[in-house]
Amino acid sequence: MICWIDSLDYTAMTTSPKDNAQLASAIQYASIGWAVFPVGPDKRPLVATGFHAATTDEGRIREWWGTWPEAGIGVACLRSGVFVIDLDRNHGNARDGVQAWEFAQQDFGSDERGMMSSTPSGGQHIIYDHPGQKVTTCNNVIPDSGIDVRGDGGYFIAPSPCDPGRAWEEGDPLDTIEDGGRIPITPAPEWVLRIVQCGRSSGS
């Protein structure tokens, strides 16, 4: 079933009352500077060049979601000026990234997050402002932790109406639009940047 919305009150959008709900969300994410592209239920890109095709161009976004009206919304990290700590819960090998992140905070300090979404597995995505230096996309940035990094060369799936397994838990970016269409995104604290840049905590 295609998700539709009857009315919209988004000042940054140019959607019409008959726009598909996924399309409307994709356009709104693009309006705050996030470069988006369509993904399938398996989280893989539906366009041939993958996240490299991510864009904020409304015309291209309308074409994509006209073809795939229920597609999930992928966000290319570097082009969107963010990176993501992906706390995975892979029950098959007993890793619990959420718990591992709690332990890391006990050792190194608060993560000072300002934006976080839930994922279908029970995990979390924590979105930080890009630090302006290379952020490598990798899994298990702390060995065997379930803590992954989605950075340059990576993407994440944003919450959207047809994806009920994902929701904004803190700092919904579509509720915090500032003048000029940008949103405030929290910079990562130094200990998080050390983990991201070195592949491990300097204290481990």
Side-chain angles (χ1 to χ4, degrees), residues 13-15 23 27 30 55-63:
M13 297 173 62
T14 57
T15 52
L23 167 62
I27 291 173
T55 185
T56 59
D57 180 75
E58 183 175 326
R60 180 62 59 83
I61 292 168
R62 286 185 176 279
E63 289 178 8

Side-chain angles (χ1 to χ4, degrees), residues 163-176:
D163 195 348
R166 302 178 190 276
W168 290 108
E169 295 186 354
E170 297 180 20
D172 183 340
L174 304 185
D175 288 340
T176 54

